[in-house]
């Protein structure tokens, strides 16, 4: 019963993430106005989330081959997902704090960093795999496998969380200082809108919290499993599987569903009147590009 429930939670949460990330991928492919460099990084993030969710859905402990395939592919694409968040944070920091304009030239390095790191970590994980199936294909059951799984996934994960947190803190501090200077130096005829600035700052501040919320229970569960391998906490396993597989949905909402995406949908679809409250229609093109790029 516990195994079936964990499989159901995994499939349900993965399906929600697949739909959410697939929606962002579809928007990028359909709407040319969104194909700017910053949103291209969001597209790669959503694509990784979509693949991670898809392979999580097809995993079944009762099917050996598919279970192993799910374990490796999930490991690879979930790693790629949070590594893409570090490239977004790096791009924002390099543009806002360091005032560099060469971020688009770094795209090949981003791909090498994300896919290369994910591939190396997945290969290392496969070497330590003891080929024992548990209630969830991605998790490993042997002591060595658990330790290697923690090193090859959770260590880079919390490194990415730390990097994103420090980066966004510096960006927010920089923009807060710039906003105060602009307000102090501006004439009465021009006053910046602090509400829109704070909205953007608050959104950036939430990005590291997505990774923390998605993987906090998984980290605690892995640590507990290493310390006490014979004692499983069922509710912790449910939270572990459910929150981890909702990462794609959280990312698609936070990174992808901004006002530029909503406006692109509104301009191309004949939507009912009530949707106008959700889809803004009165922003200028400059405002749209500013919020889309977020740099």
């Amino acid at each position: 019963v516990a195994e079936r429930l964990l499989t159901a939670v995994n499939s349900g949460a993965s399906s929600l993430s697949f739909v959410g990330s697939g929606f962002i991928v579809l928007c990028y492919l359909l709407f040319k106005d969104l194909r700017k460099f910053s949103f291209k990084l969001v597209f790669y993030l959503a694509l990784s989330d979509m693949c991670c969710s898809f392979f999580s859905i097809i995993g079944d402990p009762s099917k050996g081959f598919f279970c192993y395939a799910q374990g490796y592919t999930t490991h690879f694409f979930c790693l790629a997902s949070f590594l893409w968040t570090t490239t977004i944070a790096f791009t924002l920091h390099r543009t806002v704090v360091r005032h560099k304009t060469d971020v688009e030239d770094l795209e090949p390095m981003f791909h090498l960093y994300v896919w290369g790191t994910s591939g190396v970590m997945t290969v290392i994980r496969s070497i330590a795999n003891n080929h024992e199936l548990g209630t969830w294909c991605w998790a490993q059951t042997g002591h060595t496998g658990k330790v290697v799984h923690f090193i090859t996934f959770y260590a880079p994960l919390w490194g990415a969380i730390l990097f994103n947190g420090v980066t966004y803190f510096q960006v927010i501090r920089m923009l807060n200082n710039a906003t105060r200077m602009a307000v102090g130096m501006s004439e009465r005829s021009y006053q910046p809108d602090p509400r829109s600035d704070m909205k953007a700052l608050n959104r950036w501040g939430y990005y590291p919290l997505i990774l923390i919320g998605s993987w906090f229970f998984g980290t605690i569960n892995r640590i507990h499993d290493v310390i006490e391998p014979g004692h499983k906490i069922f509710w912790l396993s449910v939270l572990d599987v459910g929150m981890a597989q909702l990462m794609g949905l959280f990312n698609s909402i936070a990174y992808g569903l901004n006002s530029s995406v909503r406006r692109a949908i509104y301009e191309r679809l004949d939507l009912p009147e009530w949707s106008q409250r959700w889809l803004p229609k009165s922003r200028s093109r400059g405002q749209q590009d500013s919020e889309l790029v977020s740099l």
Side-chain angles (χ1 to χ4, degrees), residues 9 79 92 106 131 182 216 225 232 244:
V9 171
L79 263 170
L92 192 62
L106 299 177
H131 301 288
F216 174 78
D225 199 25
K232 303 289 185 181

Side-chain angles (χ1 to χ4, degrees), residues 23 27 31 257 260-271 278-279:
F23 174 77
C27 287
F31 304 141
L257 202 59
S260 297
V261 175
R262 299 197 299 268
R263 181 176 176 84
I265 299 171
Y266 177 84
E267 290 178 344
R268 289 162 178 77
L269 300 179
D270 185 15
L271 297 175
W278 183 71
L279 300 172

Side-chain angles (χ1 to χ4, degrees), residues 2 12 19-20 26 32 74 86 105 120-121 147 152 155-156 165 172 177 194 202-203 216 222 225 230 259 266 272 295:
V19 172
L26 188 63
K32 294 182 179 180
T74 301
T86 63
D105 298 332
V120 169
M121 292 299 165
V147 173
T152 59
I172 291 172
N177 293 336
N202 290 334
R203 185 172 66 247
F216 174 78
R222 295 288 88 73
D225 199 25
S259 66
Y266 177 84
L295 300 177

